[in-house]
Structure formats: C-alpha cells, structure tokens
Amino acid sequence: MTNLPEPVRVVQLPDGTYTYADAAHLPAPQASPQPIVQHIHQAPPDRTTQRIALGTGIGAGTVAAGVYFGPLLVAALSSMAISLAVVALVAVATAWGVVTVVRSIGGNDGKVTRRRR
C-alpha cells in the first residue's frame, strides 16, 4: 500500500477562500472578464431616412423603393438639367448669330438700327 498518492490537503487562504495545497490539483485560475469596447458610429446620411422610415412602420417595400428610385430620380433630373442648359446655349448662340447677320446685311434699316445703338 505504499504506492498510493498522498492525500490532498485543503487550506484556507487569508481572504477566506479554500484551495488545494498540492499544485497538481489546484483549480485553474479564473480569468477576469475583459472590458467590452463598443464603437458607435452615426449612420451614413443616405440611410438615415430609410432607418427613420422603418422605425415609423411604413414597410420595407417603401424603403426599398426609396433606395432604388432616389438615386435614379437624381440622375434623371440632372440629365434633364444638362439637356436644358445645352438647348439654352444653342438658342443664345443662334439668336446672337441672327442678330449679327441682320445688322450686317440689313440694308438701310440695319444701318439705322446700328446707329441707334
């Protein structure tokens, strides 16, 4: 019976907790919980409206339509504005050309008009 291990001793530490005296039988030390670091960011501006809309309960279909048709509407309006600007430029250039031609070949009426100015 000499090959039996020694009995494990339990000792009380100064803080009142109990522990094993044999190092092989000591419980694993408890790791202290790590602090959780959260970074809270503001939602991108183009999604804020959709998040507010979902919060009011108007539905995901309306939000999806806003996400899809919003940029499409902006592109269409920009395209129309550019087209109108080109048409206005052509109209101004044409009017300037017509006035120049009328003044140069207008005969007596063109000369009188030119002198009044």
Side-chain angles (χ1 to χ4, degrees), residues 100-115:
T100 304
V101 168
V102 167
R103 282 185 181 170
S104 65
I105 63 169
N108 291 333
D109 293 336
K111 291 177 184 174
V112 171
T113 306
R114 192 172 28 193
R115 284 188 199 134

Side-chain angles (χ1 to χ4, degrees), residues 14 23 32 40 44 56 60 71-73 79 99 102 108:
S32 63
I40 300 172
T56 59
L72 195 64
L73 179 64
S79 175
V99 168
V102 167
N108 291 333

